[in-house]
Amino acid sequence: MKKIIFSGVQPTGNLHLGNYLGAIKNFVKLNNDDNNNCIFCVVDLHAITTKQIPKELKENTLETIATFIACGIDPKKSILFNQSQVPAHSETAWILSCVARMGWLNRMTQFKEKAGKDKEKASIGLYSYPVLMAADILLYDASHVPVGDDQKQHLELCRDIAQKFNKDFNVEEFFKVPEPLIQKEFSRIMSLKDGQKKMSKSELSDLSRINLTDTKDQIVNKIKKAKTDTLPMPSSIDELRKRPEVNNLIGIYSSLSEESLEKIINTFSGKNFSEFKDFLSQLLVDCLDPISNEIKKLKDDKEYLNQILSDGSKKANEIASKKIKKIHEIVGF
Ligand code: TYM
């Protein structure tokens, strides 16, 4: 039996190094393994939980698909589609929102962070966002969900919702309880300006992140300006862990080169930061330049990207419509 892998990315523009190292790089590995059936979704319904400009949303949806392909996901092997084209997602989300408890959602830290101080003004969609995410995953009987560390709590909620539905309706194992796939190390890439803050699309300063479409010069400049401290490069892992910005930069180096932290520390121990930063910039350029060129090329071929979305949505609808039919029977519709 093949494993079913499901994950999603919001089409809110500026996909960055955190998205790549925390999630998309892993999607590519999973896509390349013939033991998996992979489904990767551009979650446009999630995107509208915060204000979007319709024309830009459309562009960003295509750009996200272009990014998946540019990073190495094969649209012939994996199903690539956008969430809004499969109505079962919204419908299942409603049904699951009648299973999920307010107390569970009240604990979600991402809502607290995103809603900020004025949570009365946040959309209801932003609050119930993790329920829609559970619907995405459960509709496809996904066994594994590759995500960055920031989505861990949402996946725990998804597991709770699946188990409660199965218990409430006495349908043992109807919804498969999914396992998160989160990298052990550096599953949360931090801002280049603050090692305590997640690298994020919504951060105001563009210098805080490396976008997957950045040019060589932009990458070099951002790494040059990345925050470090006044000490030389660390000489042990214990020392590294106490220096968040340095930990993040060495973590990025390690994730990209797939070299161990020990080896990197041994190579650069005691040296100046500028020397390490030169190597890191080069590594980033070598990895991201081909991706960014491919994104630009693919973005010009809208017909191709739209065809992939249309084929993917057809395949996703076939799977999801069978599952929602069964949900209807179970619930009593
Ligand atoms: P989104 O669009 O915010 O992010 C997409 C993926 O990138 C990961 N990520 C990071 N990983 C490491 N370091 C970072 N700084 C960083 N920033 C983002 C995220 O963990 C995510 O894996 N709720 C999801 C989308 C979603 C989804 C789903 C995911 C909707 N339905 C079903 C899995 C399954 C989100 O907002 O991702």
Side-chain angles (χ1 to χ4, degrees):
M1 279 281 277
K2 284 194 175 191
K3 285 187 196 144
I4 301 176
I5 313 287
F6 184 98
S7 198
V9 174
Q10 292 193 66
T12 37
N14 282 346
L15 286 187
H16 53 70
L17 189 66
N19 298 124
Y20 179 68
L21 293 178
I24 301 174
K25 191 167 168 242
N26 214 0
F27 298 176
V28 178
K29 279 196 189 141
L30 293 160
N31 162 94
N32 290 342
D33 182 341
D34 288 334
N35 294 315
N36 300 327
N37 278 334
C38 297
I39 307 170
F40 300 118
C41 181
V42 182
V43 292
D44 47 7
L45 295 171
H46 277 106
I48 62 162
T49 55
T50 55
K51 193 165 170 51
Q52 301 297 322
I53 299 167
K55 195 168 172 282
E56 284 180 10
L57 181 62
K58 259 194 184 147
E59 294 282 326
N60 288 336
T61 297
L62 293 183
E63 182 168 315
T64 308
I65 286 293
T67 305
F68 283 170
I69 299 169
C71 290
I73 296 173
D74 178 358
K76 290 201 189 79
K77 272 184 94 179
S78 297
I79 299 180
L80 305 182
F81 75 108
N82 56 327
Q83 196 185 24
S84 60
Q85 301 311 300
V86 181
H89 286 248
S90 322
E91 195 180 343
T92 307
W94 176 256
I95 294 167
L96 296 183
S97 73
C98 300
V99 173
R101 304 291 94 180
M102 292 280 286
W104 299 357
L105 282 168
N106 285 341
R107 284 198 287 274
M108 295 296 113
T109 52
Q110 187 165 297
F111 173 75
K112 290 179 196 156
E113 280 161 25
K114 286 203 171 172
K117 285 196 191 84
D118 201 357
K119 68 175 197 283
E120 297 292 312
K121 283 204 175 138
S123 72
I124 294 166
L126 190 66
Y127 180 73
S128 61
Y129 176 116
V131 181
L132 175 60
M133 188 165 155
D136 299 340
I137 298 164
L138 300 179
L139 265 176
Y140 298 91
D141 296 322
S143 55
H144 293 85
V145 183
V147 281
D149 179 70
D150 60 328
Q151 297 299 316
K152 195 170 168 191
Q153 198 185 30
H154 289 164
L155 281 182
E156 279 159 11
L157 181 87
C158 171
R159 290 168 58 88
D160 288 344
I161 294 176
Q163 280 162 338
K164 187 170 189 311
F165 183 98
N166 291 347
K167 192 160 164 268
D168 285 358
F169 292 98
N170 206 7
V171 282
E172 214 184 319
E173 291 184 14
F174 172 71
F175 278 136
K176 188 159 183 69
V177 181
E179 295 293 333
L181 284 180
I182 300 175
Q183 272 144 218
K184 278 197 196 80
E185 283 272 14
F186 302 107
S187 50
R188 185 180 287 248
I189 302 296
M190 309 310 272
S191 156
L192 300 179
K193 289 281 155 202
D194 180 349
Q196 314 276 4
K197 252 179 151 179
K198 190 178 79 169
M199 184 179 284
S200 145
K201 303 170 194 176
S202 50
E203 181 64 42
L204 278 180
S205 167
D206 194 52
L207 289 175
S208 69
R209 65 182 159 259
I210 306 274
N211 303 307
L212 298 184
T213 49
D214 279 349
T215 61
K216 185 174 173 229
D217 288 350
Q218 280 171 315
I219 293 174
V220 171
N221 182 41
K222 284 178 181 180
I223 293 299
K224 208 177 259 169
K225 293 203 168 132
K227 187 173 168 199
T228 48
D229 49 38
T230 50
L231 301 169
M233 291 289 288
S235 52
S236 71
I237 292 197
D238 280 350
E239 192 193 330
L240 176 74
R241 297 298 188 208
K242 291 180 198 136
R243 297 163 66 184
E245 283 81 17
V246 182
N247 189 43
N248 188 41
L249 291 181
I250 292 192
I252 292 173
Y253 191 103
S254 167
S255 300
L256 287 169
S257 63
E258 296 191 346
E259 273 177 28
S260 69
L261 289 179
E262 286 87 350
K263 189 167 173 223
I264 299 166
I265 288 172
N266 283 341
T267 311
F268 292 101
S269 161
K271 293 196 171 132
N272 277 337
F273 263 104
S274 58
E275 198 174 331
F276 168 72
K277 281 183 165 184
D278 287 345
F279 276 93
L280 177 59
S281 296
Q282 192 55 50
L283 197 57
L284 279 162
V285 170
D286 289 346
C287 166
L288 298 186
D289 214 33
I291 293 178
S292 116
N293 288 336
E294 192 60 20
I295 295 174
K296 278 174 205 142
K297 230 195 298 164
L298 285 166
K299 265 178 70 182
D300 286 338
D301 196 349
K302 289 211 168 82
E303 205 178 309
Y304 170 67
L305 297 175
N306 278 316
Q307 190 58 50
I308 285 172
L309 281 176
S310 150
D311 293 347
S313 301
K314 232 178 257 159
K315 288 184 200 153
N317 259 312
E318 268 168 36
I319 305 170
S321 58
K322 283 190 194 130
K323 192 78 177 174
I324 189 82
K325 219 169 170 187
K326 289 190 196 147
I327 297 174
H328 276 208
E329 278 165 27
I330 291 170
V331 172
F333 289 164

